[in-house]
Amino acid sequence: MNMNRRHVMGLMGATASGLFLPGHLRAQQSRPSIRIAVQQVVINNTLDPWNEQSNVGERALYPNLWEGLLLRDWMGNQGPVPGLATEWKRLDEKTVELKLRKGVKFHNGDEMTAEDVVFSLSPERLFGDTQPAGGETIYAENFSRSTGKDIPAAMPGIARRKWPSLAGVEAVDKYTVRFHNATPDVTMEGRLYAGGSIVASRRAWDEAESYDAWAKQPVTTGPYYVDNFQPDVSLTLRAHEDYWGGRPPLETITFVEVPEVASRVNGLLSGEYDFACDLPPDQIGTVMDAPGLEVQNSTIWNHRVNVFTQDHEQLQNPLVRRAMTHAIDRKAIVEALWANLTEVPAGLQFDSFRTSDMFIEGWEAPEYNPELARQMLQEAGYKGDPIPFRLLNNYYINQVPNGQILTEMWNQVGLNVEIEMKENWGQILAQDSPRGVRDWSASNTINDPISPMVVQFGPNGSAQQNREWTNVEFNDLCQVMETSTDRAKRKQAIARMLTIAEREDPAYNILHQNAVFTGMRSNLNWKAAPAFAMDFRASNWPGQS
């Protein structure tokens, strides 16, 4: 066997928490270990999903590390399935009762009980001193950390984004809890499986020196625990032998941060990595032509959008933002950059909304009409002043070429859009210089249009918490969506919200449905979910062939 220096160093330095063995040696262990090349592990350098609100965080944290009372059916219809709770029922319009699974062990060996659940949804852990009433935007600047154990300033607002009116969780007995809402909410069950009921060990939290220390190695119930986390470098998860769902099939899972697409592809081809994530369509052929490799791809419950900053001098007039939405040939982008492997959605809607009869039929993304865009700019009195477009270096698949195409299309109708390359999300969202447009994506986590429309663009959505966009009527309709039990009234509300946010006073520019392309070793027999998350539980690991 020919071995280069990298292989030799790997053999000499391999440890339980760090480096890698070549694939043929890993296969000789009692359980295989895998290495996954990702463009980024997490964006906030913590492993707390409430703080790590990102696509890359979903991949690293769910469902292998964190679990909720109800789980998302990652490999199926994305709906709710039993998790740390075995059954649940509505007691009234504001209350859900759940029976906990007995014998569930945390990574520290403690049994999970109602006490841990109550803590996991408590003011100390999430909400701070916020009140259970939607409609009021909660800004991070209104909170400060007086001790190292205090949660980050942004977390109360994020918590109220997911649970705007949760008044508290009651421990009925050791294995029964009740979620009490301050208002009626038809989506409570959805919030439970959309990351809103993840459970952490109360004792591990109490014993941690600080929030930051805890968040780098949280003690949870998942099939794998944190073995080694090096921010901006890698995350290694190791099998939790007492996992309630059975013996995990892998010894370790290591996510390695490899920002450049070419390096991820080359690492997969050389055998350094078992998986390479977020491949652009033009790399599919390279991987598929290599012996023993394949690419799994799927459209996912996530749409790519541009977010507008409403108070930018050139964007204050809605006509300019409307012109920007009509200047984009979305079908041409899907064809050129995505090889028609995704599609242009019906606005910020997902097919799953049809399961609850909340899909607005006949609605479409703004039409591609350059002449109409030019007319709107003339009517707005736009004089060609620059509009900044903040962009990351391919955080999203094809992000840079997509941004360049968008800029060219805007320029063709007379818009002077200038790309500003940024290094991280902090720079993208910074308010210390003029903001115009930024890239983003919006995920559907519940079979209801409350997600993403209200969750992402409502009073406590990222856009409003970052002071990019707001609309009084839109926010009033968010309250209807969050509190009404009348389906017809809610459907009328979401139809009007689409009109406001995509036509009259654009909050965003819808682009296309997102898709994921994952290169991998064919003999692993693993299946990709229609999501960013990568499921490495026993049910999705039949074993190597």
Side-chain angles (χ1 to χ4, degrees), residues 440-497:
W440 203 32
S441 68
S443 293
N444 166 33
T445 56
I446 305 174
N447 291 332
D448 185 278
I450 200 167
S451 171
M453 185 66 87
V454 179
V455 172
Q456 303 281 38
F457 293 97
N460 280 306
S462 174
Q464 295 206 42
Q465 287 181 343
N466 287 307
R467 290 185 167 86
E468 293 170 293
W469 181 87
T470 190
N471 181 285
V472 173
E473 182 186 359
F474 183 94
N475 287 350
D476 289 342
L477 293 169
C478 286
Q479 290 294 285
V480 175
M481 292 296 294
E482 289 179 342
T483 64
S484 177
T485 59
D486 184 329
R487 178 177 296 175
K489 188 175 181 180
R490 295 182 77 245
K491 193 169 185 177
Q492 183 180 24
I494 193 63
R496 177 62 186 146
M497 293 167 76

Side-chain angles (χ1 to χ4, degrees), residues 12-208:
M12 293 174 61
T15 67
S17 64
L19 302 180
F20 71 97
L21 290 170
H24 72 283
L25 291 182
R26 293 200 304 272
Q28 295 174 15
Q29 299 176 5
S30 57
R31 278 180 294 198
S33 291
I34 60 171
R35 286 169 58 85
I36 306 168
V38 298
Q39 84 275 34
Q40 198 168 7
V41 177
V42 290
I43 64 175
N44 287 328
N45 286 336
T46 74
L47 304 179
D48 179 5
W50 289 99
N51 192 29
E52 180 60 34
Q53 296 282 299
S54 70
N55 300 336
V56 294
E58 178 182 297
R59 174 182 295 125
L61 304 181
Y62 293 114
N64 305 303
L65 178 59
W66 284 92
E67 296 182 309
L69 301 181
L70 303 188
L71 301 181
R72 183 170 164 181
D73 183 9
W74 294 104
M75 302 306 298
N77 67 1
Q78 309 296 296
V81 293
L84 301 179
T86 56
E87 57 185 276
W88 59 95
K89 64 179 179 180
R90 278 274 182 162
L91 300 185
D92 55 44
E93 292 179 340
K94 299 188 288 187
T95 312
V96 175
E97 182 178 275
L98 302 100
K99 297 291 185 180
L100 304 185
R101 189 179 298 275
K102 297 180 180 179
V104 172
K105 293 295 183 66
F106 284 111
H107 299 152
N108 62 4
D110 293 349
E111 183 186 16
M112 180 200 71
T113 67
E115 177 186 359
D116 299 291
V117 179
V118 171
F119 158 72
S120 296
L121 280 296
S122 66
E124 176 186 5
R125 169 74 176 96
L126 295 179
F127 298 107
D129 61 2
T130 61
Q131 298 303 306
E136 180 181 352
T137 302
I138 298 170
Y139 299 105
E141 65 207 47
N142 295 335
F143 298 87
S144 60
R145 302 176 72 180
S146 57
T147 72
K149 203 63 178 287
D150 291 340
I151 57 177
M155 277 183 57
I158 294 171
R160 286 302 177 196
R161 184 184 305 167
K162 290 194 171 186
W163 284 109
S165 299
L166 185 67
V169 180
E170 170 194 2
V172 178
D173 57 41
K174 187 176 182 180
Y175 299 110
T176 307
V177 294
R178 287 178 184 162
F179 279 62
H180 294 283
N181 228 42
T183 64
D185 185 353
V186 298
T187 67
M188 285 185 72
E189 292 86 350
R191 296 180 189 279
L192 286 165
Y193 75 79
S197 66
I198 55 175
V199 181
S201 163
R202 170 82 217 214
R203 181 169 73 88
W205 173 279
D206 289 342
E207 291 176 352

Side-chain angles (χ1 to χ4, degrees), residues 259-334:
E260 296 300 325
V261 171
S263 297
R264 294 199 296 274
V265 172
N266 289 335
L268 179 67
L269 295 175
S270 70
E272 183 176 355
Y273 307 119
D274 302 290
F275 294 84
C277 296
D278 290 329
L279 304 182
D282 63 7
Q283 292 296 312
I284 292 176
T286 300
V287 175
M288 294 291 287
D289 289 343
L293 297 179
E294 66 179 72
V295 175
Q296 296 216 10
N297 65 280
S298 172
T299 53
I300 62 175
W301 286 17
N302 179 276
H303 291 339
R304 289 276 287 104
V305 301
N306 307 127
V307 179
F308 297 119
T309 299
Q310 191 178 44
D311 64 359
H312 185 276
E313 184 178 0
Q314 307 309 319
L315 298 178
Q316 290 177 353
N317 190 329
L319 284 171
V320 177
R321 285 176 272 135
R322 290 173 63 188
M324 295 183 78
T325 70
H326 288 295
I328 302 306
D329 187 344
R330 296 166 181 81
K331 291 183 178 180
I333 291 175
V334 166

